[in-house]
Amino acid sequence: MKSKTVAVVDYGSGNLRSVSQAVVHVAAGSGLDVLVTSDPQAVFDAERVVLPGQGHMADCMKQLAASGLKEAVLHAAANKPLFGVCVGMQMLLDRSEEGPTDGLGLIPGEVVRFRLEDRLQADGSRYKVPQMGWNQVFHDLGRGVAHPLWTGIDEGAYFYFVHSFYARPSHAQHCVGEADYGGRFAAAIASDNIFATQFHPEKSADQGLALYRNFLSWKP
């Protein structure tokens, strides 16, 4: 019998140490082993998969293809719970202005750059790009029920962001969390067994850990 593992995909880009430490922490006592791996077979065999990413999206896509892990990630996206983080979220869409480059095409939409030149915040300061720091995320989007991964997490809770580009899904139902930085944008997206965040749960204290904990027990 295959062991129950959570595979954190190591394709050469991503905040692997902090992501894996956070998932290990919440997995304690769950019966799940957390494995940081560059082995496609380990990703195929895993019960759940986390796809991190940081840096330039075009580079991330090239590294994913060169690593031999792309097919394993696509298989995971079709068959088991998958959690994308930061650029790992952006990679799930069709294309990005950064590069520009194609994404994995798992959720319809595009990734665009913040265009906030000469815009002022409420305190009179200019918006800075990248957005770097804590921001509120709202998951009550008027649909009557929030995505199950938000269970136990307060509406408007703060999460940690570092990004110049953001996801713009083609269909509103794929946006399951919003933040505001010069206007509302998708801070979390989801489709079937896929859930992903623009922010870093592993850098977001207890609220971020709660999100990873919910992912480990999620049965989409």
Side-chain angles (χ1 to χ4, degrees):
M1 185 176 69
K2 295 175 182 176
S3 62
K4 290 187 176 182
T5 60
V6 182
V8 180
V9 183
D10 179 7
Y11 58 96
S13 179
N15 197 8
L16 295 172
R17 180 172 173 79
S18 60
V19 170
S20 61
Q21 285 182 331
V23 179
V24 165
H25 179 75
V26 300
S30 69
L32 289 165
D33 294 324
V34 181
L35 178 67
V36 177
T37 182
S38 58
D39 178 6
Q41 191 59 51
V43 177
F44 275 109
D45 291 344
E47 181 179 281
R48 297 166 190 273
V49 173
V50 179
L51 179 68
Q54 64 182 16
H56 195 279
M57 180 166 150
D59 291 341
C60 289
M61 289 299 300
K62 289 175 184 175
Q63 289 173 253
L64 183 63
S67 70
L69 287 158
K70 182 176 178 180
E71 290 306 316
V73 169
L74 291 172
H75 177 269
N79 293 283
K80 63 192 72 173
L82 182 145
F83 196 129
V85 182
C86 195
V87 178
M89 164 183 166
Q90 297 175 2
M91 292 164 69
L92 302 175
L93 281 81
D94 293 320
R95 67 193 68 83
S96 175
E97 290 182 345
E98 188 175 26
T101 187
D102 289 336
L104 295 171
L106 295 167
I107 295 178
E110 60 183 348
V111 178
V112 297
R113 191 180 191 279
F114 281 120
R115 291 179 171 85
L116 299 171
E117 295 81 1
D118 301 322
R119 294 277 305 280
L120 298 180
Q121 302 190 66
D123 63 2
S125 64
R126 293 187 183 279
Y127 282 98
K128 295 180 180 178
V129 177
Q131 176 189 196
M132 185 179 299
W134 297 86
N135 201 351
Q136 288 181 285
V137 176
F138 302 93
H139 51 76
D140 181 0
L141 303 179
R143 298 171 192 158
V145 60
H147 192 280
L149 260 68
W150 294 115
T151 300
I153 297 173
D154 292 339
E155 171 76 350
Y158 282 85
F159 292 87
Y160 192 82
F161 291 81
V162 183
H163 65 124
S164 300
F165 293 78
Y166 63 94
R168 191 157 66 189
S170 298
H171 306 298
Q173 69 266 27
H174 290 145
C175 177
V176 295
E178 291 184 339
D180 194 306
Y181 196 67
R184 287 280 183 124
F185 69 91
I189 61 175
S191 178
D192 300 323
N193 55 295
I194 299 170
F195 184 92
T197 63
Q198 181 61 67
F199 55 83
H200 291 270
E202 69 281 358
K203 297 180 180 179
S204 300
D206 290 346
Q207 301 281 25
L209 291 177
L211 202 55
Y212 279 140
R213 188 176 292 111
N214 289 341
F215 172 68
L216 296 187
S217 60
W218 181 34
K219 294 179 172 59

